[in-house]
Amino acid sequence: MNAIARPPAGGTVETDVVIVGAGPVGLFAVFELGLLDIKCALVDILDKPGGQCAELYPEKPIYDIPGYPIITGEGLVEKLIEQIAPFKPTFHLSQMVESLAKDSDGRFRLTTDAGTTFLAKAVVVAAGGGSFQPKRPPVPGIEQYEGTSVHYAVRRMEDFRGHDVLIVGGGDSALDWTLNLQPLAKSLTLLHRRDEFRAAPDSVRKMRELVAEGKVKLALGQVSGLKGEGGQVTHAVVKDKDGAEVHHEATRILPFFGLTMKLGPVANWGINFNENLIPVDTATFQTSEPGIYAIGDINTYPGKLKLILCGFHEAALMAQAAVHVVSPEKKVVFQYTTSSSSLQKKLGVI
Ligand SMILES: Cc1cc2nc3c(=O)[nH]c(=O)nc-3n(C[C@H](O)[C@H](O)[C@H](O)COP(=O)(O)OP(=O)(O)OC[C@H]3O[C@@H](n4cnc5c(N)ncnc54)[C@H](O)[C@@H]3O)c2cc1C
């Protein structure tokens, strides 16, 4: 992945436009706004850009991106980041935009859960289906251990060093972290309900090698309870396939049961919603609030298709409208990148 500017969280960032969501559509919006000399900051809850393409299907081939007969989710995100690099957007990752309000000077003030404040002349909501939330397994009392012993993502591998780690699941996340955490953990058990795995075959093969070497324990069954005190788990109670209860030593538990998408705080920003989607004017992609635009999966209008290519089109039209809000004095002349030397200069190709 290309180097991207990731300023530390916190403080106040003044910019022309804040784009909420660094999915494929939010990323392409940087390009369309950049051609009009508009500076952007991108914010995303995820720790990487790419939205659904990066989080849900990085290795799946996409066949309907114009000009690419086949490209993976991850490949498309890399190309988009390369394409927007000349415009030097700042990426504010691992933070969720919580609030959006208007200041007395007419600028929008957005705040994140990581303590960053943005002041911007316009806002582009490219929040897709909202925020990805891990699915919580149906284990009684699991909430009291979340954030201490039970984690749904690995933020810092060091937090798992020297622990009895129990990983639950059979997909790519479960297998990837089994392989990555095994060298650090005191012990590592992979628990899955059956001896078949959805993860990449190569990861499954490597896991089975570690099991054969006695470095990873593979258990079949389901977690039925957790034992511990003061927010710290000591044991997981596992019901095996014959219904017998087995206690596994575990001080760190990583359940990987997939992700769901929840709309999250976007719903409270005073913008009109219709069944969890933001209605927009299809000439400008403006929402019910002047200066706030919505593009990509989050918006709705007659004939809307939740396709990446539709989001790209929306980004182009949004930029042509937003420029009048961001730079009202600017005379906008429509130009092609093929023939405009001023656009080519901005792109750094001449
Ligand atoms: C399995 C699968 C296969 C698909 N295949 C195709 C295909 O072949 N072709 C195609 O065109 N489309 C496909 N799609 C659909 C495509 O991925 C979506 O249309 C596209 O990702 C929408 O892009 P987006 O940028 O609007 O939203 P998203 O990709 O959903 O990105 C939105 C981003 O906003 C962030 N966000 C949300 N709320 C906040 C907040 N409050 N603060 C900060 N960040 C926030 C989220 O974390 C997320 O990263 C597929 C989808 C799936 C699930």
PDB file of all heavy atoms in Angstrom, residues 308-320:
ATOM      1  N   ILE A 308     -20.157   0.306  -6.963  1.00  0.00           N
ATOM      2  CA  ILE A 308     -19.017   1.215  -6.837  1.00  0.00           C
ATOM      3  C   ILE A 308     -19.029   2.231  -7.978  1.00  0.00           C
ATOM      4  O   ILE A 308     -18.810   3.425  -7.773  1.00  0.00           O
ATOM      5  CB  ILE A 308     -17.705   0.402  -6.807  1.00  0.00           C
ATOM      6  CG1 ILE A 308     -17.682  -0.485  -5.551  1.00  0.00           C
ATOM      7  CG2 ILE A 308     -16.490   1.310  -6.857  1.00  0.00           C
ATOM      8  CD1 ILE A 308     -16.638  -1.579  -5.561  1.00  0.00           C
ATOM      9  N   LEU A 309     -19.305   1.769  -9.189  1.00  0.00           N
ATOM     10  CA  LEU A 309     -19.259   2.694 -10.327  1.00  0.00           C
ATOM     11  C   LEU A 309     -20.317   3.786 -10.200  1.00  0.00           C
ATOM     12  O   LEU A 309     -20.091   4.919 -10.631  1.00  0.00           O
ATOM     13  CB  LEU A 309     -19.366   1.941 -11.658  1.00  0.00           C
ATOM     14  CG  LEU A 309     -20.708   1.513 -12.217  1.00  0.00           C
ATOM     15  CD1 LEU A 309     -21.238   2.584 -13.151  1.00  0.00           C
ATOM     16  CD2 LEU A 309     -20.549   0.223 -12.991  1.00  0.00           C
ATOM     17  N   CYS A 310     -21.469   3.484  -9.594  1.00  0.00           N
ATOM     18  CA  CYS A 310     -22.477   4.531  -9.389  1.00  0.00           C
ATOM     19  C   CYS A 310     -21.959   5.561  -8.379  1.00  0.00           C
ATOM     20  O   CYS A 310     -22.151   6.769  -8.550  1.00  0.00           O
ATOM     21  CB  CYS A 310     -23.781   3.921  -8.881  1.00  0.00           C
ATOM     22  SG  CYS A 310     -24.509   2.817 -10.085  1.00  0.00           S
ATOM     23  N   GLY A 311     -21.265   5.077  -7.352  1.00  0.00           N
ATOM     24  CA  GLY A 311     -20.680   5.980  -6.359  1.00  0.00           C
ATOM     25  C   GLY A 311     -19.648   6.906  -6.990  1.00  0.00           C
ATOM     26  O   GLY A 311     -19.546   8.090  -6.632  1.00  0.00           O
ATOM     27  N   PHE A 312     -18.896   6.398  -7.960  1.00  0.00           N
ATOM     28  CA  PHE A 312     -17.886   7.230  -8.627  1.00  0.00           C
ATOM     29  C   PHE A 312     -18.564   8.366  -9.403  1.00  0.00           C
ATOM     30  O   PHE A 312     -18.120   9.514  -9.376  1.00  0.00           O
ATOM     31  CB  PHE A 312     -17.051   6.379  -9.594  1.00  0.00           C
ATOM     32  CG  PHE A 312     -16.095   5.409  -8.920  1.00  0.00           C
ATOM     33  CD1 PHE A 312     -15.424   4.445  -9.668  1.00  0.00           C
ATOM     34  CD2 PHE A 312     -15.851   5.460  -7.556  1.00  0.00           C
ATOM     35  CE1 PHE A 312     -14.542   3.562  -9.069  1.00  0.00           C
ATOM     36  CE2 PHE A 312     -14.965   4.567  -6.945  1.00  0.00           C
ATOM     37  CZ  PHE A 312     -14.311   3.616  -7.709  1.00  0.00           C
ATOM     38  N   HIS A 313     -19.637   8.029 -10.106  1.00  0.00           N
ATOM     39  CA  HIS A 313     -20.393   9.048 -10.844  1.00  0.00           C
ATOM     40  C   HIS A 313     -20.928  10.113  -9.881  1.00  0.00           C
ATOM     41  O   HIS A 313     -20.841  11.311 -10.134  1.00  0.00           O
ATOM     42  CB  HIS A 313     -21.548   8.358 -11.595  1.00  0.00           C
ATOM     43  CG  HIS A 313     -22.715   9.226 -11.874  1.00  0.00           C
ATOM     44  ND1 HIS A 313     -22.791  10.054 -12.968  1.00  0.00           N
ATOM     45  CD2 HIS A 313     -23.870   9.430 -11.182  1.00  0.00           C
ATOM     46  CE1 HIS A 313     -23.933  10.714 -12.941  1.00  0.00           C
ATOM     47  NE2 HIS A 313     -24.598  10.361 -11.872  1.00  0.00           N
ATOM     48  N   GLU A 314     -21.461   9.633  -8.751  1.00  0.00           N
ATOM     49  CA  GLU A 314     -22.023  10.565  -7.760  1.00  0.00           C
ATOM     50  C   GLU A 314     -20.940  11.519  -7.239  1.00  0.00           C
ATOM     51  O   GLU A 314     -21.197  12.709  -7.032  1.00  0.00           O
ATOM     52  CB  GLU A 314     -22.650   9.770  -6.606  1.00  0.00           C
ATOM     53  CG  GLU A 314     -23.838   8.933  -7.046  1.00  0.00           C
ATOM     54  CD  GLU A 314     -24.223   7.838  -6.060  1.00  0.00           C
ATOM     55  OE1 GLU A 314     -23.719   7.853  -4.909  1.00  0.00           O
ATOM     56  OE2 GLU A 314     -25.019   6.969  -6.436  1.00  0.00           O
ATOM     57  N   ALA A 315     -19.728  10.981  -7.062  1.00  0.00           N
ATOM     58  CA  ALA A 315     -18.620  11.811  -6.560  1.00  0.00           C
ATOM     59  C   ALA A 315     -18.311  12.933  -7.552  1.00  0.00           C
ATOM     60  O   ALA A 315     -18.047  14.081  -7.161  1.00  0.00           O
ATOM     61  CB  ALA A 315     -17.380  10.947  -6.334  1.00  0.00           C
ATOM     62  N   ALA A 316     -18.357  12.628  -8.843  1.00  0.00           N
ATOM     63  CA  ALA A 316     -18.042  13.640  -9.863  1.00  0.00           C
ATOM     64  C   ALA A 316     -19.064  14.777  -9.834  1.00  0.00           C
ATOM     65  O   ALA A 316     -18.700  15.963  -9.834  1.00  0.00           O
ATOM     66  CB  ALA A 316     -18.003  12.993 -11.240  1.00  0.00           C
ATOM     67  N   LEU A 317     -20.342  14.418  -9.761  1.00  0.00           N
ATOM     68  CA  LEU A 317     -21.378  15.465  -9.757  1.00  0.00           C
ATOM     69  C   LEU A 317     -21.378  16.244  -8.436  1.00  0.00           C
ATOM     70  O   LEU A 317     -21.586  17.463  -8.419  1.00  0.00           O
ATOM     71  CB  LEU A 317     -22.755  14.843 -10.026  1.00  0.00           C
ATOM     72  CG  LEU A 317     -23.158  14.838 -11.508  1.00  0.00           C
ATOM     73  CD1 LEU A 317     -22.177  14.080 -12.375  1.00  0.00           C
ATOM     74  CD2 LEU A 317     -24.550  14.295 -11.695  1.00  0.00           C
ATOM     75  N   MET A 318     -21.147  15.533  -7.350  1.00  0.00           N
ATOM     76  CA  MET A 318     -21.080  16.203  -6.042  1.00  0.00           C
ATOM     77  C   MET A 318     -19.995  17.283  -6.056  1.00  0.00           C
ATOM     78  O   MET A 318     -20.203  18.408  -5.596  1.00  0.00           O
ATOM     79  CB  MET A 318     -20.791  15.145  -4.959  1.00  0.00           C
ATOM     80  CG  MET A 318     -20.480  15.675  -3.581  1.00  0.00           C
ATOM     81  SD  MET A 318     -18.771  16.236  -3.376  1.00  0.00           S
ATOM     82  CE  MET A 318     -17.855  14.727  -3.573  1.00  0.00           C
ATOM     83  N   ALA A 319     -18.818  16.941  -6.624  1.00  0.00           N
ATOM     84  CA  ALA A 319     -17.688  17.887  -6.605  1.00  0.00           C
ATOM     85  C   ALA A 319     -18.036  19.153  -7.387  1.00  0.00           C
ATOM     86  O   ALA A 319     -17.710  20.272  -6.960  1.00  0.00           O
ATOM     87  CB  ALA A 319     -16.442  17.215  -7.183  1.00  0.00           C
ATOM     88  N   GLN A 320     -18.722  18.973  -8.516  1.00  0.00           N
ATOM     89  CA  GLN A 320     -19.099  20.138  -9.336  1.00  0.00           C
ATOM     90  C   GLN A 320     -20.052  21.063  -8.574  1.00  0.00           C
ATOM     91  O   GLN A 320     -20.092  22.269  -8.825  1.00  0.00           O
ATOM     92  CB  GLN A 320     -19.774  19.686 -10.641  1.00  0.00           C
ATOM     93  CG  GLN A 320     -18.856  18.919 -11.576  1.00  0.00           C
ATOM     94  CD  GLN A 320     -17.721  19.772 -12.157  1.00  0.00           C
ATOM     95  OE1 GLN A 320     -17.904  20.954 -12.428  1.00  0.00           O
ATOM     96  NE2 GLN A 320     -16.558  19.171 -12.314  1.00  0.00           N
TER      97      GLN A 320
END
